[in-house]
Each structure stands twice: as C-alpha cells, then as structure tokens.
Amino acid sequence: MQIVIIGSGNVAYHMAKAFTLKSIPIAQIFGRNEKELSKISEELHIPYSTDHLEEADLYILCVSDHSVEEVSKIITKKNCLVTHTSGSLPKEVLAGEYRKASFYPLQTFSKSKELEYEKIPFFIEAENEEDQKILFDLASKISEKVMESNHEKRKYIHLTAVFACNFVNHLFSRAKEISDSQDIPFDYFLPLIDETVQKIHEIEPKQAQTGPAVRNDVRILQLHEQLLKDESLEIYKTMNHSIQKMYEL
Amino acid sequence: MQIVIIGSGNVAYHMAKAFTLKSIPIAQIFGRNEKELSKISEELHIPYSTDHLEEADLYILCVSDHSVEEVSKIITKKNCLVTHTSGSLPKEVLAGEYRKASFYPLQTFSKSKELEYEKIPFFIEAENEEDQKILFDLASKISEKVMESNHEKRKYIHLTAVFACNFVNHLFSRAKEISDSQDIPFDYFLPLIDETVQKIHEIEPKQAQTGPAVRNDVRILQLHEQLLKDESLEIYKTMNHSIQKMYEL
C-alpha cells in the first residue's frame, strides 16, 4: 500500500516517524513549508515535495483543523482512501470524491519531544468495513490502543480531554496565582502534582480523592473561602459542591 | 543532637528513612503500634519503644492532625524542641512547656512508594532564630527545597495544593464519568494527562493553556454544554468563565 503524508507540522512529523520506526514505508511527505519538509525528509529518509503530489492508496492529512477542508481538495484521485487526523471534525469535511476516514491520535505533539507511540490511543472511523480494517491494522502496528469511533463518540473523547487536560492546566494556573501571592515558588508543588497523577495510573480517581471537601471539613472550607475571591472563589465553591455531590455528603 | 520520631505511620516511616539515608542518627522511634514500629525498626536499624520515651533534644511528631495535641502531652521534658509535621495546624497546638515548631513536608506519603526526598519541599516555623536554624539545617540535609513559613503562609500552601491536587483529581473523576458513558477506557487518556503535567515542568501553566475556551471557540463551547448536565455542566461553565477572564476574552 502506497502511503503519502500531507503536512509538515508536529503531527506530520510524528506520524512519519512512528511509521518509519515500524518499517512501514511512506512514499512521500507533501506540504508547503519546504524548510520543515526537508528536515523531516533528511531525518527519516522520506522523499518530499511542495508541488507534485505522489499517487497513493492512502493519504493522511496532518494539517490544522481549519485547513483540512481546503487541503483535502488537492487530492483529485478518486480510487483512494483519504483520512484526516482531527479529533473534532467529521470525516465528511474532506471535500473530494475519494473514500473518507478519520484517523485520530489522542495526544499533543511537539517536534522536540520524544513520544512512546505504542501508548498513544488511535480512534478510527471509515465509510466501510474494508477501509476500517486497513486503518485499524495500520494503527495497530504503531499503537497498542486502537479503537473504532464515530464522530459522535469523538465529541465525548474531546470533552473528556477538556476536563482531564485543559481544565486541569487551568487549575494549575489558578493554583500558581495563589502560591505567587505568598512568594512560594510554584515548582515546590510539582512533586505533589506528579504524585497526584501517578496515583490515577494505579487506582480510580474516585477512590483517590482527598482534601477538605471529601472529608467534609467545614472549618477549613470556610477558612479557604475567606482567602479567595472572584473566579478562584467560584471555582472553589463549584468544585467542592461537585465533590460533595459525588460522595453524597 | 539526639532526635526521636513519634509515630508509626507513613510520615514517620519516610521521615526516619530520609534521615537514615543521610546518616543522621535517630535515637528512637516511639508509638503505639508495635507491629509497625518493629517493621520500621528492622528495616532502618532504629531502636523503638511503645512505653518508654527516650530523652531527646528534638522530638518530631509524625501523627495525624487530630492526634497532635494529645500526643504532644506525652513529652514532659522542658528543655527541648518539639515539632509537628502538619500543614494545617499552628505550632501552638503543641501542648507542653518545651520550644515549639512546625516541620512540614509537602508530599503525600505511602509506605509502599519510593520517594525522592531531595525533591520534597519542607516548610519550617520555629519560636526563635536558633531553632529555626536547627530545623532549616536538618531539612536541608534531606531536601533541596527548604523554606521558612508561618501558619498564615501554610494556609495558602494548603489552598494551592487543594487546587493543584484535590481539584485536579476531581476533574479526573468527572472526566472518567464522561468517557465511561461512551465505553471509552479512561486509561486511554493517561498519556495525554501525563503530557499535560510534564508540560508545566517546562513552561508556566498560563502559557500552556489550550482548548476551546482560550481560543474562544463558541461553536464547540455550545456543543459541549449540550452534552453535559448537573455538576459537570456547572464545572464546565465555571472553568471556561475563569479561563476567559484570565485571558481577557
């Protein structure tokens, strides 16, 4: 099967690298940014082009969400499979007469950061069982965690990630405001944060809950509310209310 | 300096171990639970007792918050320094005629878990500069991160930890509810969560923020609100509001 990767960013680089490490040949890496393409090409020994798109059986679009539709139009071939790598777009956004699919790796990518590809979950959606199998088998060569998912399911995957990553990061921002206000270096909290996350690798988060809300320590809860204001106070109340509801306190 | 540790739980064990690894002799480990004491004693080669408290210059109470006051009464010696290891109690809770202090390691401890003691921050408070120096020097032999802190400051340390650890864990619980509802294994999100936390070891959380709220993606925000209800919807709104306030969106 002839595979072409379209894009020259972080996702394109890591996809190309993950395939190459598993000896799956990539026929071409195609994009606009010649500087980035030539770097990837040199490191991974994959031909690149900025103007002539190679014939392929499978095109993997590794471009930003808002470019997927436009870039998908450059593939004029009909008898081929084209997939995007976005978590938030339906496969129908692809704008050609080829077979369409979604091939979504659940991870944040940066070029400088080494990743364990076998740990990255892949979510697959295709138009028919044959394409589904092609993509499932391909992802399974890279990763131990491959799952079918339609667009509806990907909405919930994205939502889960918003809670577990985006909101978690914002809590770190608000926590840092509090420690900054007292000249306590925020990096003093990193070992405790690391332990908090390590714990949920071993036990369910619901079992791991600690803190004043879950032990219904009214004295501490009231004291903390007096130390807070504005958005941080709102977060404090909302989170404690949610904790106490979850544990029926 | 003659040091005695009082307690037989997780904190007592790790304190005794951290001192022992740095060749700081512990004269005795004292407590009620003979089984636990004898295990610690055997592993670390420290004498233990359940009835005869050894004479010491420094007693370190490693007992739960609600026991500190009561246990502190068993020390009848006057010319000595006594410290608790609690983050939420003032040093004045110690109920004897000795010099009082707080020696607070910011970490969660479990006996089965190896810890890098040099990374654990210690917060120190004492009645006078001499005692402050004794405890500061002692903590500095174990850890690279030692800081003075009074009871007022420890309140904010605790509050920061509530945001950065307790609330973070609760977000994991709510995230898992969402992924469970779609039969998506929550451990699929662990690599992404690990990356999220790894990132704030390198850049400030405020710089690391991603997601629909910070890019003001109104379409996604509305879609997500339709997928949520009750406490999770409240969290979703409160967190997004706070994110948008922080970035002035």
Side-chain angles (χ1 to χ4, degrees), chain B residues 67-85:
Chain B
S67 310
V68 168
E69 185 174 351
E70 193 199 328
V71 174
S72 75
K73 291 175 186 168
I74 64 172
I75 306 158
T76 51
K77 198 183 168 194
K78 291 182 183 175
N79 182 25
C80 67
L81 177 59
V82 178
T83 181
H84 66 61
T85 48

Side-chain angles (χ1 to χ4, degrees), chain A residues 79-91:
Chain A
N79 182 24
C80 66
L81 178 59
V82 179
T83 181
H84 67 61
T85 48
S86 159
S88 61
L89 295 175
K91 63 185 187 312

Side-chain angles (χ1 to χ4, degrees), chain A residues 107 113 119 121 147 153 166-167 169-170 174 182-183 188 191 194-195 201 205 209-211 238 240 242, chain B residues 107 113 119 121 147 153 166-167 169-170 174 182-183 188 191 194-195 201 205 209-211 238 240 242:
Chain A
Q107 184 54 285
K113 177 93 182 141
K119 300 271 169 66
M147 203 173 174
K153 200 163 186 168
N166 301 156
F167 289 172
N169 184 76
H170 184 61
R174 290 295 181 193
Q182 301 293 311
D183 296 319
Y188 277 35
D194 290 345
E195 275 292 303
H201 284 252
Q209 190 64 49
T210 55
T238 303
N240 285 332
S242 176
Chain B
Q107 184 54 284
K113 178 94 183 140
K119 299 270 169 65
M147 204 173 175
K153 200 164 187 168
N166 302 155
F167 289 172
N169 184 75
H170 184 61
R174 290 295 182 193
Q182 301 293 310
D183 295 320
Y188 277 35
D194 290 345
E195 274 293 302
H201 283 253
Q209 191 65 48
T210 55
T238 303
N240 285 332
S242 177

Side-chain angles (χ1 to χ4, degrees), chain B residues 2-29:
Chain B
Q2 183 98 336
I3 303 172
V4 164
I5 288 177
I6 300 178
S8 59
N10 299 331
V11 178
Y13 168 72
H14 281 289
M15 283 292 201
K17 190 170 171 184
F19 285 122
T20 304
L21 287 172
K22 295 294 175 184
S23 306
I24 300 163
I26 303 297
Q28 183 186 58
I29 177 156

Side-chain angles (χ1 to χ4, degrees), chain A residues 65 88-89 106-108 113-115 119-123 144-147 152-153 155-202 204-213 215 219-220 223-224 227-228 231-236 238-243 245-247, chain B residues 88-89 106-108 110 113-115 119-123 144-147 152-153 155-202 204-213 215 219-220 223-224 227-228 231-243 245-247:
Chain A
D65 281 13
S88 61
L89 295 175
L106 181 67
Q107 184 54 285
T108 45
K113 177 93 182 141
E114 299 258 338
L115 289 168
K119 300 271 169 66
I120 298 175
F122 278 82
F123 296 94
E144 298 160 357
K145 292 177 176 174
V146 185
M147 203 173 174
E152 191 59 26
K153 200 163 186 168
K155 285 182 195 168
Y156 285 92
I157 295 167
H158 187 203
L159 188 55
T160 306
V162 168
F163 273 72
C165 300
N166 301 156
F167 289 172
V168 161
N169 184 76
H170 184 61
L171 283 179
F172 295 148
S173 293
R174 290 295 181 193
K176 185 172 184 296
E177 278 186 344
I178 298 168
S179 62
D180 282 356
S181 77
Q182 301 293 311
D183 296 319
I184 305 158
F186 184 64
D187 66 358
Y188 277 35
F189 295 88
L190 292 176
L192 197 59
I193 290 169
D194 290 345
E195 275 292 303
T196 302
V197 172
Q198 193 47 47
K199 237 194 222 173
I200 62 152
H201 284 252
E202 289 148 27
E204 299 229 340
K206 194 171 171 182
Q207 262 71 56
Q209 190 64 49
T210 55
R215 62 172 192 269
R219 190 184 68 87
I220 294 283
L223 183 144
H224 282 171
L227 302 178
L228 292 165
E231 284 75 37
S232 293
L233 179 58
E234 284 310 308
I235 290 173
Y236 193 79
T238 303
M239 294 300 291
N240 285 332
H241 176 72
S242 176
I243 291 169
K245 274 277 181 183
M246 180 173 271
Y247 297 87
Chain B
S88 61
L89 295 174
L106 182 66
Q107 184 54 284
T108 45
S110 69
K113 178 94 183 140
E114 297 260 335
L115 290 167
K119 299 270 169 65
I120 299 174
F122 277 82
F123 296 93
E144 297 160 357
K145 292 176 176 174
V146 185
M147 204 173 175
E152 192 61 25
K153 200 164 187 168
K155 285 181 195 168
Y156 286 92
I157 296 167
H158 186 203
L159 188 55
T160 305
V162 168
F163 274 71
C165 300
N166 302 155
F167 289 172
V168 161
N169 184 75
H170 184 61
L171 284 178
F172 296 147
S173 293
R174 290 295 182 193
K176 185 171 183 297
E177 278 186 343
I178 299 168
S179 61
D180 282 355
S181 77
Q182 301 293 310
D183 295 320
I184 304 157
F186 185 65
D187 66 357
Y188 277 35
F189 295 88
L190 292 176
L192 197 60
I193 290 169
D194 290 345
E195 274 293 302
T196 303
V197 172
Q198 193 46 48
K199 236 194 221 173
I200 63 152
H201 283 253
E202 289 148 27
E204 299 229 341
K206 195 173 170 179
Q207 261 71 56
Q209 191 65 48
T210 55
R215 63 172 191 269
R219 190 184 68 86
I220 295 283
L223 184 144
H224 281 170
L227 303 178
L228 293 166
E231 285 75 37
S232 292
L233 179 58
E234 283 310 307
I235 290 173
Y236 193 79
K237 288 178 177 173
T238 303
M239 293 300 290
N240 285 332
H241 176 73
S242 177
I243 291 169
K245 274 277 181 182
M246 182 175 268
Y247 296 88

